[in-house]
Amino acid sequence: MMHSSDSQWPEVSFEERMATAHFDVHPHAHIVVNSAVCADCTSRECVVACPANLFVPTSDGGVVFNYEQCFECGTCYLVCNQEGAISWSYPEGGHGIVFRRT
Amino acid sequence: MSDRTQHAANPDVDVDVIVVGAGPAGSCAAIALARAGFSVVLLERGPFPGSKNMYGGVVYPRILDELIPRWYDEAPVQRWITRRSTMVMTDTQAMSIDFRNDAWAAPPYNGATAYRPDFDHWLAGHAESAGAQLLCSTTATGLLRDRSGAVTGVTTDRPDGDLTARLVIACDGVNSFLAKDAGLYREVAAKHYTLGVKETIGLPKEVIDERFGVRGREGVDIEIIGCTSGVNGGGFVYTNLDTVAVGVVLKLPALAAQQLRPEQIIAKMKTHSAIAPLVEGGELKEYSAHLIPEAGLSMMPKLATAGLLVAGDAAALCLAAGIWLEGVNFAMASGMYAGQAAAEALRRGDTSEQGLAGYERRLTETFVLRDHRKLRRAPALVLSDRVQHRYPQMVAAVVERMFRVDNPDPKPGLRRILAQERKRAGVRRRDLARDGWAGLRTFG
Ligand SMILES: Cc1cc2nc3c(=O)[nH]c(=O)nc-3n(C[C@H](O)[C@H](O)[C@H](O)COP(=O)(O)OP(=O)(O)OC[C@H]3O[C@@H](n4cnc5c(N)ncnc54)[C@H](O)[C@@H]3O)c2cc1C
Ligand code: SF4
Ligand code: SF4
């Protein structure tokens, strides 16, 4: 259902949304996704469930992943049904997401 | 690492106790132990306590009476909750039970909204004042064990990484890799978790006061069912001083099995006529996400093994039972009891699994496990398809027909409306009776 004032109150773009969260990015990726496994995955649970939208399907049928704006929530490794697709750890101490008004 | 840590009673270890995670569980464990005279290192992977932590927004700190008397004079609170609404909605309808209690605006208070980066930071400060050593920007990467398998410390991502102790308390939150490492979880499955996503929306304080019907430091807590676009879960709206927190919690398998992304589900909820007037015109200040261990007793791990205790979300002690979403108080309490039981075990010099049994005993005797036992059926019931999808339709339809004036037709009888709307919503009488009974047994 759309509310009448929607037009005066547009949703922010996903990029602007993510720009509201602060990340102290470490040069080393804390989550590594094995694209060879993803290429054979048809369910793609991570794509819809990752709150930061970090799993992006590519035109050639693969999935690309970027760790930089990760909330470190754990959703992806829990919903992924393929063994060996995601190797998950926390970023090095002091890095990654820094919440402020949560 | 021994140069940086306090001296333990036993010269073979760096410190008496390592507490991993400076969330509410870890800080309360550290306060209890440091006050009992033990040397404690409190490890936190974030740059400061609370920096990794997100929740809906209401803390119930009564349990702190024991550790920090008159906590309410100093805790970094946004607003004191004086109004609680439970809302059931369909796409175009909403029904609320709205409760106001003036007494909750004054000491000793009840619940309060607070930002976790403020609240957790404040609580960890008490652990430091009690004598615990807080080490931020340090991730525990695994457990150290002796030949018998007993936990003897942790590895960290610091250059001089290993840290040894007589006892480790894992308060490392919902993903607890330490509890998993120790083999305390029987099963780790997506079905036991919900994802919470939230928007912190900025609005002037006077606008929030006016829209939510409160004044001064009074605040509002709204829990919503039927607002998650068909994905099993629920929603919330909480008032801070000059922001409103709006979010949804979504059952993981159900979320992953459909097409709407989490932020789209929030966006849809915000367009509802019962929510839009509360938040429109506000500016998105922060978007955030975090998991909740949702399944209560049915997912709970073993709480202790030789040299290790597990508390808070790491032990799935968060209570997620529909109208209640309480985790911070369960974390503070379980952390405090873990600290007390650990002190007892260290004094006796027995940190074997039996030696640590005082922890589970304390949880069993207090609200921590009593509430979980009493409400053990609640998570499954509240997240069931009937409660999530059919009952909101049915309730809204019944109420609509009770309040609709259809002159010249006379008012229909309630019993007839109920029977008709039950059928229309596709609810069998047997299931309604069974769910009603389950609800009574669960919540009654
Ligand atoms: C969307 C949402 C809404 C919620 N709403 C409410 C609510 O309104 N009221 C309520 O009471 N509860 C609520 N909860 C639940 C509540 O947030 C948790 O139950 C509570 O935070 C648990 O506290 P904890 O100390 O056990 O864990 P956490 O608060 O998660 O703290 C764990 C700490 O450990 C640190 N850590 C983790 N791993 C490591 C490691 N390896 N090394 C070093 N440090 C580590 C983390 O950085 C963190 O600081 C909500 C949760 C969510 C997600
Ligand atoms: S991460 Fe897992 S769920 Fe996502 S595409 Fe790869 S294999 Fe599939
Ligand atoms: S941990 Fe959460 S935010 Fe990070 S990639 Fe996985 S699902 Fe996305």
Side-chain angles (χ1 to χ4, degrees):
Chain A
M1 203 218 73
M2 284 294 147
H3 191 262
S4 54
S5 68
D6 237 3
S7 50
Q8 296 121 56
W9 188 39
E11 271 296 310
V12 296
S13 71
F14 200 82
E15 221 171 40
E16 290 170 284
R17 169 181 299 279
M18 292 308 296
T20 64
H22 181 77
F23 299 91
D24 197 339
V25 180
H26 193 273
H28 182 77
H30 61 287
I31 298 175
V32 178
V33 177
N34 184 341
S35 49
V37 179
C38 299
D40 293 333
C41 168
T42 51
S43 48
R44 301 270 158 97
E45 284 86 353
C46 59
V47 174
V48 71
C50 168
N53 203 8
L54 297 177
F55 295 80
V56 181
T58 56
S59 51
D60 61 352
V63 167
V64 291
F65 173 79
N66 185 323
Y67 71 98
E68 290 181 5
Q69 294 193 312
C70 169
F71 289 121
E72 302 152 31
C73 67
T75 299
C76 50
Y77 80 80
L78 281 169
V79 296
C80 173
N81 286 312
Q82 307 286 320
E83 197 69 37
I86 298 178
S87 89
W88 203 100
S89 65
Y90 289 125
E92 203 173 296
H95 293 272
I97 181 70
V98 183
F99 289 129
R100 290 166 297 184
R101 289 201 264 184
T102 54
Chain B
M1 257 187 165
S2 45
D3 54 332
R4 240 182 283 141
T5 53
Q6 304 154 342
H7 291 289
N10 178 345
D12 298 338
V13 292
D14 295 326
V15 66
D16 288 325
V17 184
I18 301 165
V19 178
V20 180
S27 287
C28 286
I31 294 171
L33 276 159
R35 289 203 188 146
F38 294 95
S39 58
V40 183
V41 165
L42 179 58
L43 293 184
E44 169 55 47
R45 68 185 189 89
F48 61 87
S51 56
K52 300 288 182 185
N53 303 342
M54 169 277 203
Y55 76 147
V58 180
V59 288
Y60 298 94
R62 179 71 57 236
I63 189 70
L64 284 182
D65 286 352
E66 212 171 319
L67 293 179
I68 309 171
R70 297 187 69 87
W71 48 268
Y72 40 80
D73 287 340
E74 46 167 296
V77 157
Q78 290 285 317
R79 291 178 186 253
W80 300 103
I81 298 298
T82 56
R83 196 180 150 201
R84 268 199 79 149
S85 278
T86 302
M87 190 186 282
V88 175
M89 61 166 64
T90 69
D91 280 357
T92 57
Q93 298 162 310
M95 192 197 75
S96 294
I97 295 175
D98 191 56
F99 179 69
R100 227 179 239 275
N101 189 25
D102 294 343
W104 288 343
Y109 302 101
N110 185 45
T113 50
Y115 297 134
R116 293 291 298 281
D118 299 345
F119 187 84
D120 293 9
H121 207 159
W122 165 76
L123 199 53
H126 275 276
E128 284 192 282
S129 321
Q133 187 183 359
L134 174 66
L135 285 183
C136 290
S137 300
T138 306
T139 308
T141 49
L143 294 170
L144 295 170
R145 297 159 179 266
D146 65 14
R147 252 173 274 120
S148 74
V151 173
T152 56
V154 297
T155 56
T156 78
D157 62 356
R158 290 217 173 186
D160 48 353
D162 293 0
L163 195 57
T164 58
R166 299 164 71 192
L167 188 71
V168 174
I169 307 185
C171 302
D172 50 341
V174 57
N175 283 302
S176 187
F177 295 108
L178 296 186
K180 289 172 190 166
D181 214 24
L184 300 182
Y185 274 92
R186 264 164 297 147
E187 180 197 18
V188 177
K191 66 176 183 209
H192 292 151
Y193 299 87
T194 51
L195 169 66
V197 285
K198 140 171 143 171
E199 294 183 357
T200 305
I201 297 174
L203 282 166
K205 179 179 184 297
E206 315 78 65
V207 173
I208 295 176
D209 287 350
E210 196 176 319
R211 289 184 185 183
F212 288 84
V214 285
R215 293 192 195 118
R217 299 298 290 270
E218 297 168 359
V220 180
D221 163 336
I222 307 176
E223 321 281 345
I224 311 162
I225 213 166
C227 59
T228 44
S229 300
V231 176
N232 304 44
F236 57 81
V237 177
Y238 300 124
T239 57
N240 296 308
L241 270 179
D242 59 359
T243 65
V244 177
V246 181
V248 291
V249 297
L250 306 164
K251 209 166 155 60
L252 281 192
L255 169 65
Q258 49 85 64
Q259 296 305 315
L260 281 179
R261 294 191 30 80
E263 77 282 0
Q264 294 173 319
I265 296 174
I266 302 187
K268 180 139 182 266
M269 175 173 102
K270 285 197 308 183
T271 64
H272 195 283
S273 57
I275 307 297
L278 301 177
V279 292
E280 67 193 355
E283 184 195 346
L284 179 62
K285 295 286 187 190
E286 196 166 347
Y287 172 59
S288 55
H290 202 283
L291 286 181
I292 305 175
E294 177 83 31
L297 272 192
S298 62
M299 72 182 290
M300 227 167 260
K302 240 178 93 179
L303 299 168
T305 186
L308 180 73
L309 291 173
V310 189
D313 274 14
L317 286 166
C318 178
L319 183 76
I323 51 175
W324 295 292
L325 177 44
E326 298 175 22
V328 175
N329 48 333
F330 281 78
M332 293 189 294
S334 57
M336 177 177 77
Y337 296 134
Q340 293 172 352
E344 200 176 78
L346 290 170
R347 266 187 228 111
R348 278 200 317 262
D350 179 6
T351 55
S352 68
E353 195 175 318
Q354 286 100 316
L356 295 169
Y359 175 45
E360 186 156 348
R361 200 192 65 241
R362 283 174 170 82
L363 299 189
T364 309
E365 285 167 357
T366 58
F367 77 95
V368 179
L369 280 178
R370 287 172 71 169
D371 283 358
H372 269 287
R373 297 226 158 102
K374 182 170 157 50
L375 292 164
R376 66 189 178 281
R377 294 186 197 84
L381 180 68
V382 171
L383 290 176
S384 71
D385 287 331
R386 278 195 296 278
V387 172
Q388 287 280 314
H389 310 310
R390 295 185 194 264
Y391 293 156
Q393 295 289 345
M394 186 180 92
V395 168
V398 168
V399 174
E400 193 273 336
R401 285 182 62 187
M402 276 173 61
F403 291 151
R404 191 201 313 158
V405 177
D406 246 351
N407 299 154
D409 289 351
K411 295 199 187 307
L414 178 59
R415 210 175 311 160
R416 211 174 99 227
I417 300 182
L418 261 174
Q420 287 174 348
E421 295 306 332
R422 177 178 58 72
K423 279 192 205 126
R424 208 193 307 271
V427 176
R428 289 184 302 185
R429 191 180 302 164
R430 192 155 34 108
D431 290 331
L432 183 60
R434 192 188 297 147
D435 290 342
W437 176 236
L440 271 179
R441 278 200 304 170
T442 300
F443 296 107

